[in-house]
């Protein structure tokens, strides 16, 4: 176990207050940065995106810097949406695999459960 070390007040900075708009996913960012924002914005304001007329709060995801052998597409494009294989979205650099999400007005669920009731087709866009 390590001992606490006092903070150097001369190097301390203040973080800005978060706003709900900070949680809107910007798909042009690299997959790793989006994943870190998803983690860092929990529980509030959360990371959210739009899927057609639905709003989805992304609760957990993993980043893959490689395109996984899928055709590279514009950021925010659903590359693969299969309840067995997962939900993969193109980012500015790499692919984000969405693991858990929460539709607006719904309960948190796995991406596989979401896809069983709300099919997304490859090529559709998240905004």
């Amino acid at each position: 176990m390590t001992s606490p070390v006092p903070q150097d007040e001369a190097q301390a900075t203040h973080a800005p207050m978060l706003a709900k708009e900070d949680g809107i996913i910007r798909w042009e960012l690299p997959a790793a940065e989006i994943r870190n924002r998803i983690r860092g914005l929990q529980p509030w304001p959360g990371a959210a995106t739009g899927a057609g007329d639905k709003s989805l709060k992304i609760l957990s995801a993993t980043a893959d810097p490689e395109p996984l052998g899928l055709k590279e597409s514009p950021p925010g494009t659903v590359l693969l949406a299969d309840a067995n294989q997962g939900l993969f979205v193109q980012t500015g650099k790499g692919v984000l695999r969405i693991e858990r999400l929460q539709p607006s007005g719904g309960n948190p669920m796995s991406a596989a459960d979401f896809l069983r009731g709300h099919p997304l087709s490859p090529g559709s866009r998240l905004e």
Side-chain angles (χ1 to χ4, degrees):
M1 188 165 152
T2 61
S3 302
V5 177
Q7 176 175 296
D8 180 357
E9 295 297 329
Q11 294 185 9
T13 60
H14 291 280
M17 294 291 291
L18 291 175
K20 190 163 180 78
E21 297 78 35
D22 293 327
I24 297 171
I25 295 175
R26 294 184 6 238
W27 292 106
E28 67 275 5
L29 295 173
E33 187 172 335
I34 294 172
R35 182 191 73 81
N36 289 340
R37 290 180 65 85
I38 291 168
R39 290 179 55 220
L41 295 171
Q42 295 298 329
W44 192 90
T49 190
D53 60 348
K54 300 176 188 82
S55 175
L56 302 176
K57 191 172 191 179
I58 309 302
L59 304 174
S60 69
T62 54
D64 192 335
E66 300 300 319
L68 304 174
L70 301 169
K71 182 180 178 232
E72 193 167 330
S73 300
T77 303
V78 174
L79 298 175
L80 180 64
D82 181 80
N84 296 320
Q85 297 179 42
L87 177 55
F88 296 86
V89 181
Q90 180 71 53
T91 68
K93 183 177 181 186
V95 175
L96 190 76
R97 179 179 187 213
I98 298 173
E99 297 168 341
R100 289 192 55 77
L101 53 83
Q102 181 177 3
S104 58
N107 293 321
M109 62 183 73
S110 69
D113 288 343
F114 175 80
L115 290 170
R116 286 184 185 98
H118 305 88
L120 287 173
S121 57
S124 60
R125 295 286 307 261
L126 300 181
E127 301 176 17

